[in-house]
Amino acid sequence: MAGRGNSHRGDNGWSEWGGYMAAKKRKLEEQFDKDSSNNAKQLERKSNIFQGISIFVDGHTEPPADELKKLMMEHGGVYHAYYSKDKITYFISNNLPYAKIRKLKPNDKVVNSKWITDCIKENKLLSTHNYEMYKDVTRSRGQTELNFKRAEPMKPITSDFNVPNSDDEDDHSSPSETEEAPTEDDDHLSVLDAKHPKFLETFLKRSRLHYLSSTAVAKKVYVQELRQKPEHRQLIEKRREELKNTIQRTERDYLFKIHDEKKEKIYMHIDMDCFFVSVATRHQPELRDQPIVITHSKGRKAATTNEHQFYSRSELASCNYAARQYGIKNGMYLGRAQELCRNHQAKLLCLPYDYEGFHEVSDRFYETILSYTLEVEAVSCDELYVDLTDLLIYLKPLHPLTFVSLLREEIQINTKCPCSAGMGSNMLLARLATRHAKPNGQYYVEKGYEQEFIAKQKLIDLPGIGSSILDKLQQTFPQTTVDTCKQIQNLCSLEQLKNILGKKQGQTMYDMTHGIDTRILTKDYLPKSISIDINYGIRFQTFDELTVFIKQLVLELHKRLKQARQKGKQLSVKIRVRAPDAPIEPEKFMGCGRTDDSSRLVNLHSYTDDPINIELETIKLLKQMNFIVADLRGIGISMTQFQSALKNTSGKDMNGHRTLFDCNQFRLPKPSSTTVGNQTDTGEPSESFVTRKRPMQQEPTTTAVPQKVSRLDCYTPGQIDPHVMNELPEPIRQEVEQYLKNPSSVSRQNSESDRIEVIEKSFTQVMDHLDEAVLNELPPEMRREITMAQKLRKMESKYPPIGGKRLVPISVPLNPVAQEKSNAFNVLMNSPQKQPTTTTTTKKTSIPVKRWRTETILNEEPITTTTSNVRTEPKPQSFHHQPSIAGFTLLSDVKLMLREWIESSDEPNQIDFDLFQNYLIDLLNSYNAEMVHQLVSYGLLQLKPLTSKIQWMKHFQNLIEAVQTRFRQMYGGVTMDLS
Ligand code: DCP
């Protein structure tokens, strides 16, 4: 089968490597030798106990690999960064993934890292005998494979090839939404990658997270469409009528008063119990008394082999309540669950996923509820909120608990699965009540008892409250254990909470801990984005292979758009590319490893779900992103800005949703904002702007740039400070003076670029020759700006950036918003005494803003998509490439947007951050380090005084790290000065 035993695929040393890797290994060995001898000079060689020993470290060890490397250096051994069969004496690993264990040969010795530390402690080479791992396995492997044969699963998930499952022992971290790893069920380790034509289909079929997200969307759409169907309303009326006439009311019902006129709300939150387990056992309810989990693993390893050696990291999608008695929880690793059961002498039953059953039960669950009311908010396949108010008024006299017990009974009959429900006067109380009801129960927070109820709730049970928030609270009150809502009520005022957690989160925490929730049901489905991300098995050698996969991805995205009844107008592509210093194959089999992520987006001309259109645009975006195809590890395509085919509750068309950056796009920049003579200054046109101006049918472009107005056209002689003029080097001064006296003599014949050159040269030389005294006269911010530019220039000459480019400043016209005094170049080029005598319009466009561009030193190679697996440095963007964000290219616009973005919320959105980070990296790649410096400094300046922006600061620090990494790569290891 294609892809199996793929010889190009590296696997972190577990297979043979060819030229590039061999060279790389040699380089690393030489590096190690060099380091060792340097080290020997610096640090005294402590011993020679590891003389003749070569190690290769795999996976997480204690101490970590870097430390082991150092220890080997200090004690005469050799550390190999890559596996080489004939050079390695021992693998050092404390916990190899099962996939790799299976690949061990009988002679391979895997030794626990403790052996190294113990040898050093004892100062002698100890026998590895007591430290060897998996020796039983390798021995039995020599004779028989029987240990690894698995019994047939209860319900095998059929597939014609091996594709990884969503949770498994290979997974060293919490499984992410898209990373899936092989399991012990894979008969061969040649797990296919994304080159296989059926990879995506099978991957999605076996992905529970895909199931969960697609079902949630399907349910929301289903409910919304049902609201538009008159026949369903008739069905509801009929069902209500029947119920009203057949209910056997008790005293409790007659006593319950519901105030029609006050319209006091009664919400219900209803959720199936341990959904996946309940479905998997719906035809064998007798099993339910024993602990059961749903996982891809069959859980047999622990029974047949040494438990320490096979601690299964297969994730539990769901566990039943019998298992929960032993401390087992959803999301736990199977190994841990087995351990807990063993401690209680209980046997854990592992059952496979029953996707067909999940669909069937979920449909029946929804149908049962929706046959009584459409006042619902679909949450997921097994959970929804219901506003019971109208229904209870209709059925009165009826106690909510009576109705809910009847409903639950009906659900049990229809689905053969139990569910629980909570009720209260708002959605929060209803949801918390469900926790009390579980399993298979119901709980009503009656009117008047809300405060008593909420006070007892644990903070960790409040929706959306995670450990980071709890840590913040705990740190603020180190003397007390902050655990319940009551404690927060007693400890903090609203103001204090806002100070600790930020404005928005503080308010939410205050409301929740006081049982306040003003939300109403969200009935209209408005997705923020619809996307497909695959971060597993992405291994391509050529761009053609990638495009074949893109086609499949786009078809899946198209399916999702169709399912959600949405057409999108903004398309973005995100790629994860192996970080330069990351190994070719990460620890997690076929995973991503450490990557550099970047994304690009384009505004389409019209709302679309057309796969051909999306595919074309995706490929175009990919082609604009400089990356090595062989290093691609993850890819995502996402649509935003929707036009919905769904009608809202009032039967009207719905508008799409906008993200932060989208909002800005509609505000700025304005087309044809300023006119000078017969030329139009649109500023630097944005991608979105250009797109919006074009007729619907025309192709969107990311490169078109309308004609720019010349800066020099806008100058009058009086505009340039004589002081500054005097500072200019003679030839430049003469050229500028000549121009200013008679612009036509220079500019009319000269091309735009020639004229830019004049100003650029002058600015460059101003920078180089600027008198200290002049500099000192400038306001601090400008001084910093110029000093930074000077530093960058120095750095440029000292460390020519990779790619044969050097940094020179350029000037671009600024739109009106950019009339900032703070621009150093403006000050240098404009006399404070002599204001321009031109019209306001001219004045607005006349101020140049300093930017940087590169000049080619060497002949520039054409930018082509690299298909070799040899890493090359990213090629600089072409000269005219203007990175943009949300359509903005001008510093002042981006600054304005940055400020608004920061002010907009206390909790930044990761997608926005990714976009911003990618933009900064793009700027660096276009040799516009100066702008990056300005934006980062500006962002920090905005954030620093605000205590509520802790999350922002964290994100910003990560962003700075990424920027610095790129900066170092480009400028010979030098870090950008952000002091
Ligand atoms: N699920 C999953 N992975 C997640 C979240 C949920 O596989 N990260 C699946 C398994 C669950 C089902 O979705 O059975 C419903 O999720 P719940 O959170 O409702 O959990 P359960 O129904 O299993 O348990 P509970 O009775 O606590 O609701």
Side-chain angles (χ1 to χ4, degrees):
M1 210 166 289
R4 279 198 182 168
N6 186 343
S7 61
H8 324 286
R9 201 189 60 232
D11 55 4
N12 202 12
W14 294 81
S15 66
E16 296 299 317
W17 281 100
Y20 170 68
M21 283 307 298
K24 179 133 192 176
K25 277 194 267 182
R26 256 197 319 277
K27 199 175 145 207
L28 285 165
E29 278 160 23
E30 282 161 15
Q31 181 71 37
F32 180 86
D33 290 344
K34 208 170 129 209
D35 287 353
S36 300
S37 61
N38 288 346
N39 197 43
K41 279 177 212 150
Q42 284 166 18
L43 300 167
E44 215 183 309
R45 169 69 61 91
K46 293 185 179 158
S47 81
N48 273 327
I49 49 178
F50 295 126
Q51 196 153 29
I53 305 282
S54 298
I55 64 162
F56 168 72
V57 179
D58 199 319
H60 175 75
T61 53
E62 195 48 54
D66 276 354
E67 181 65 18
L68 291 176
K69 181 177 169 185
K70 195 169 145 254
L71 293 176
M72 290 310 275
M73 281 182 190
E74 287 174 349
H75 296 275
V78 176
Y79 171 97
H80 287 271
Y82 286 89
Y83 172 69
S84 167
K85 203 165 53 190
D86 21 273
K87 287 187 182 156
I88 302 295
T89 333
Y90 301 119
F91 292 99
I92 303 294
S93 178
N94 295 7
N95 201 354
L96 270 187
Y98 182 71
K100 287 183 181 172
I101 297 167
R102 286 176 52 134
K103 244 193 156 182
L104 291 174
K105 309 262 169 358
N107 293 335
D108 288 338
K109 273 192 180 174
V110 184
V111 178
N112 192 299
S113 60
K114 199 168 179 306
W115 171 70
I116 295 183
T117 45
D118 283 359
C119 287
I120 295 169
K121 239 186 262 164
E122 303 270 322
N123 198 24
K124 63 176 181 192
L125 194 66
L126 301 171
S127 155
T128 55
H129 187 263
N130 294 332
Y131 300 88
E132 276 176 44
M133 323 253 303
Y134 319 114
K135 48 189 173 188
D136 298 342
V137 181
T138 50
R139 270 178 214 138
S140 66
R141 171 59 53 89
Q143 302 152 17
T144 170
E145 293 272 329
L146 275 179
N147 275 354
F148 298 96
K149 291 266 183 277
R150 307 278 163 224
E152 281 302 299
M154 260 175 76
K155 277 194 179 185
I157 298 155
T158 50
S159 161
D160 63 346
F161 76 107
N162 287 316
V163 90
N165 293 316
S166 60
D167 42 78
D168 168 344
E169 30 275 85
D170 236 14
D171 203 346
H172 287 241
S173 56
S174 296
S176 75
E177 190 171 346
T178 47
E179 292 201 26
E180 310 205 349
T183 74
E184 74 234 56
D185 302 328
D186 293 315
D187 292 333
H188 308 276
L189 280 174
S190 51
V191 176
L192 293 181
D193 57 34
K195 285 194 285 291
H196 192 283
K198 281 198 161 183
F199 173 85
L200 188 65
E201 184 193 325
T202 316
F203 180 93
L204 295 176
K205 209 158 56 182
R206 300 179 79 170
S207 160
R208 74 176 206 273
L209 296 164
H210 168 64
Y211 163 78
L212 290 172
S213 60
S214 61
T215 325
V217 172
K219 291 293 177 240
K220 286 170 207 277
V221 171
Y222 170 63
V223 173
Q224 201 162 335
E225 288 189 331
L226 219 50
R227 287 202 189 97
Q228 305 304 323
K229 293 193 172 156
E231 64 274 21
H232 191 79
R233 300 211 164 265
Q234 285 162 10
L235 171 84
I236 289 179
E237 270 171 38
K238 191 168 153 259
R239 298 275 289 141
R240 284 183 177 192
E241 192 60 30
E242 282 167 10
L243 186 66
K244 190 171 183 165
N245 297 331
T246 51
I247 293 173
Q248 308 230 327
R249 291 177 178 82
T250 64
E251 197 181 344
R252 179 177 74 173
D253 299 309
Y254 291 107
L255 288 174
F256 183 76
K257 297 274 172 275
I258 185 155
H259 300 285
D260 323 23
E261 67 293 349
K262 285 196 202 155
K263 280 262 177 184
E264 279 163 357
K265 290 278 182 196
I266 299 184
Y267 286 97
M268 172 178 75
H269 172 253
I270 186 159
D271 186 29
M272 307 287 288
D273 295 332
C274 51
F275 182 55
F276 281 12
V277 177
S278 300
V279 174
T281 54
R282 69 195 187 284
H283 302 303
Q284 296 154 286
E286 68 284 358
L287 291 178
R288 288 178 181 164
D289 290 338
Q290 64 171 304
I292 304 174
V293 294
I294 301 295
T295 164
H296 280 299
S297 169
K298 312 298 168 305
R300 286 163 199 273
K301 283 185 296 193
T304 54
T305 55
N306 180 336
E307 71 207 55
H308 297 300
Q309 292 173 1
F310 291 111
Y311 185 89
S312 170
R313 271 170 286 183
S314 194
E315 194 194 0
L316 307 183
S318 181
C319 59
N320 68 349
Y321 283 80
R324 292 181 203 194
Q325 278 176 10
Y326 303 130
I328 297 171
K329 289 180 181 153
N330 284 358
M332 190 178 258
Y333 286 143
L334 174 62
R336 175 74 186 131
Q338 287 172 323
E339 200 172 67
L340 288 168
C341 274
R342 247 193 324 269
N343 295 345
H344 293 87
Q345 275 90 48
K347 193 170 175 307
L348 186 66
L349 181 58
C350 299
L351 296 182
Y353 292 75
D354 175 5
Y355 287 105
E356 235 172 73
F358 303 154
H359 277 296
E360 181 195 311
V361 170
S362 172
D363 286 353
R364 290 190 183 173
F365 172 65
Y366 265 79
E367 276 159 18
T368 312
I369 297 164
L370 296 176
S371 69
Y372 291 107
T373 179
L374 283 168
E375 290 296 305
V376 304
E377 178 181 325
V379 178
S380 69
C381 57
D382 76 327
E383 177 185 1
L384 37 74
Y385 286 98
V386 185
D387 181 347
L388 290 178
T389 321
D390 284 346
L391 180 59
L392 289 172
I393 290 171
Y394 179 85
L395 297 171
K396 73 176 184 184
L398 193 68
H399 194 282
L401 286 171
T402 310
F403 170 73
V404 173
S405 63
L406 286 170
L407 181 71
R408 288 183 42 249
E409 251 172 55
E410 203 176 321
I411 291 170
Q412 171 72 51
I413 293 166
N414 293 346
T415 63
K416 301 192 170 51
C417 294
C419 68
S420 301
M423 282 142 289
S425 54
N426 64 40
M427 291 165 73
L428 171 73
L429 292 171
R431 178 161 171 187
L432 291 171
T434 308
R435 291 188 68 88
H436 285 259
K438 276 182 178 275
N440 200 10
Q442 52 196 39
Y443 190 94
Y444 177 36
V445 184
E446 292 201 37
K447 202 162 167 272
Y449 292 89
E450 289 98 339
Q451 284 314 310
E452 195 183 307
F453 174 81
I454 197 73
K456 285 189 284 195
Q457 301 310 305
K458 287 197 176 268
L459 296 175
I460 194 74
D461 291 339
L462 297 176
I465 301 301
S467 52
S468 72
I469 295 177
L470 294 183
D471 287 350
K472 274 188 215 166
L473 290 168
Q474 193 60 71
Q475 278 159 19
T476 316
F477 304 102
Q479 317 297 347
T480 3
T481 313
V482 188
D483 192 31
T484 62
C485 293
K486 176 95 188 156
Q487 280 162 326
I488 291 292
Q489 287 177 8
N490 293 340
L491 283 168
C492 308
S493 66
L494 173 61
E495 278 322 299
Q496 276 172 308
L497 278 172
K498 282 183 179 176
N499 282 340
I500 303 166
L501 301 173
K503 226 162 143 182
K504 210 170 136 200
Q505 223 163 49
Q507 182 73 55
T508 311
M509 179 57 110
Y510 180 87
D511 289 347
M512 285 204 289
T513 49
H514 289 77
I516 302 165
D517 182 5
T518 51
R519 284 177 303 162
I520 53 166
L521 298 180
T522 306
K523 293 188 196 162
D524 297 332
Y525 170 57
L526 272 175
K528 279 186 183 160
S529 74
I530 295 176
S531 56
I532 167 103
D533 279 90
I534 302 291
N535 296 316
Y536 181 83
I538 301 292
R539 299 293 185 275
F540 301 108
Q541 298 302 317
T542 66
F543 198 77
D544 284 349
E545 286 172 359
L546 173 59
T547 48
V548 171
F549 186 63
I550 293 295
K551 201 184 256 306
Q552 296 172 32
L553 275 187
V554 167
L555 282 175
E556 177 58 32
L557 181 65
H558 162 75
K559 220 163 94 186
R560 292 180 186 191
L561 287 163
K562 279 268 176 225
Q563 183 197 39
R565 312 280 190 271
Q566 307 288 329
K567 288 182 177 182
K569 196 145 186 282
Q570 195 170 61
L571 177 76
S572 67
V573 175
K574 181 172 177 176
I575 55 170
R576 301 183 69 178
V577 178
R578 183 175 70 85
D581 52 345
I584 300 272
E585 279 305 325
E587 196 178 326
K588 180 170 169 166
F589 192 58
M590 281 285 156
C592 280
R594 254 176 319 108
T595 54
D596 291 335
D597 303 349
S598 55
S599 59
R600 252 172 216 252
L601 90 172
V602 63
N603 289 298
L604 307 170
H605 297 302
S606 53
Y607 293 98
T608 187
D609 62 3
D610 172 30
I612 296 172
N613 195 357
I614 298 172
E615 185 189 331
L616 276 173
E617 294 302 330
T618 304
I619 304 271
K620 265 197 232 164
L621 289 178
L622 279 170
K623 282 186 173 165
Q624 290 168 17
M625 299 160 103
N626 276 323
F627 66 96
I628 294 167
V629 176
D631 284 343
L632 191 69
R633 294 291 177 265
I635 180 155
I637 311 174
S638 164
M639 271 284 199
T640 43
Q641 284 194 17
F642 295 115
Q643 185 182 59
S644 178
L646 295 167
K647 302 272 181 219
N648 68 12
T649 16
S650 347
K652 302 226 168 79
D653 288 339
M654 300 207 306
N655 287 324
H657 194 95
R658 289 186 199 160
T659 67
L660 166 78
F661 288 138
D662 307 332
C663 294
N664 282 288
Q665 274 183 26
F666 287 94
R667 197 172 41 72
L668 279 169
K670 288 192 185 73
S672 311
S673 55
T674 329
T675 309
V676 181
N678 57 1
Q679 297 191 59
T680 303
D681 181 12
T682 55
E684 293 297 316
S686 73
E687 205 172 288
S688 55
F689 164 63
V690 172
T691 307
R692 267 184 278 132
K693 269 179 55 176
R694 286 167 165 258
M696 295 286 272
Q697 280 73 24
Q698 262 182 308
E699 222 189 288
T701 174
T702 54
T703 50
V705 180
Q707 205 187 2
K708 283 187 281 188
V709 66
S710 155
R711 282 149 305 278
L712 287 180
D713 281 346
C714 311
Y715 281 111
T716 65
Q719 273 180 278
I720 299 193
D721 190 339
H723 186 75
V724 171
M725 280 292 265
N726 290 338
E727 288 295 324
L728 296 176
E730 187 59 19
I732 304 294
R733 186 162 53 82
Q734 278 175 10
E735 209 175 330
V736 175
E737 276 172 353
Q738 164 71 14
Y739 169 76
L740 293 173
K741 273 185 215 140
N742 183 9
S744 59
S745 69
V746 182
S747 67
R748 298 293 171 234
Q749 296 93 23
N750 286 1
S751 68
E752 167 76 354
S753 59
D754 290 341
R755 282 175 280 145
I756 292 171
E757 208 61 41
V758 174
I759 274 298
E760 281 164 7
K761 273 192 207 158
S762 59
F763 183 69
T764 310
Q765 302 203 20
V766 167
M767 285 293 173
D768 287 346
H769 301 277
L770 197 63
D771 192 319
E772 187 101 357
V774 177
L775 194 65
N776 288 339
E777 289 301 306
L778 298 172
E781 201 187 317
M782 293 169 214
R783 220 165 39 225
R784 228 190 33 225
E785 197 177 306
I786 291 170
T787 320
M788 178 60 199
Q790 283 174 331
K791 274 190 195 167
L792 283 170
R793 281 183 54 73
K794 275 193 198 133
M795 205 149 44
E796 275 287 318
S797 51
K798 202 167 155 199
Y799 308 98
I802 298 145
K805 301 278 176 171
R806 76 183 167 83
L807 188 73
V808 295
I810 64 163
S811 308
V812 293
L814 201 61
N815 80 4
V817 196
Q819 261 195 15
E820 292 164 316
K821 275 198 197 141
S822 62
N823 187 288
F825 190 50
N826 297 345
V827 173
L828 290 170
M829 298 303 280
N830 290 283
S831 160
Q833 297 89 13
K834 294 190 182 181
Q835 289 303 314
T837 52
T838 44
T839 61
T840 323
T841 319
T842 311
K843 199 169 79 184
K844 277 183 181 171
T845 54
S846 68
I847 304 165
V849 62
K850 164 175 57 44
R851 290 187 70 253
W852 295 81
R853 70 162 174 85
T854 51
E855 264 183 9
T856 306
I857 299 167
L858 306 171
N859 282 344
E860 198 183 330
E861 290 167 41
I863 297 173
T864 49
T865 310
T866 314
T867 52
S868 89
N869 64 348
V870 179
R871 171 167 281 280
T872 57
E873 279 307 317
K875 305 275 186 302
Q877 308 287 333
S878 66
F879 172 75
H880 289 293
H881 171 76
Q882 286 262 22
S884 68
I885 183 157
F888 296 116
T889 49
L890 293 178
L891 175 67
S892 53
D893 290 346
V894 182
K895 270 185 174 175
L896 197 69
M897 187 195 71
L898 181 59
R899 199 178 68 206
E900 284 186 8
W901 178 34
I902 290 172
E903 281 168 1
S904 69
S905 83
D906 291 340
E907 195 76 58
N909 172 336
Q910 187 57 46
I911 296 173
D912 289 343
F913 246 100
D914 287 347
L915 284 171
F916 189 56
Q917 180 174 313
N918 292 334
Y919 167 65
L920 294 181
I921 303 283
D922 270 2
L923 283 174
L924 282 179
N925 289 340
S926 324
Y927 295 88
N928 200 345
E930 166 69 358
M931 190 150 163
V932 174
H933 179 263
Q934 293 232 17
L935 288 171
V936 173
S937 311
Y938 184 74
L940 287 171
L941 216 68
Q942 300 295 313
L943 288 171
K944 277 217 165 114
L946 305 170
T947 48
S948 60
K949 301 287 181 185
I950 299 166
Q951 286 307 319
W952 274 89
M953 264 318 226
K954 276 189 195 155
H955 278 75
F956 227 79
Q957 291 304 345
N958 293 340
L959 175 141
I960 289 172
E961 260 173 47
V963 166
Q964 292 285 26
T965 305
R966 183 65 194 132
F967 192 82
R968 280 193 294 272
Q969 284 166 359
M970 292 177 73
Y971 298 101
V974 182
T975 301
M976 184 186 276
D977 180 5
L978 289 170
S979 55

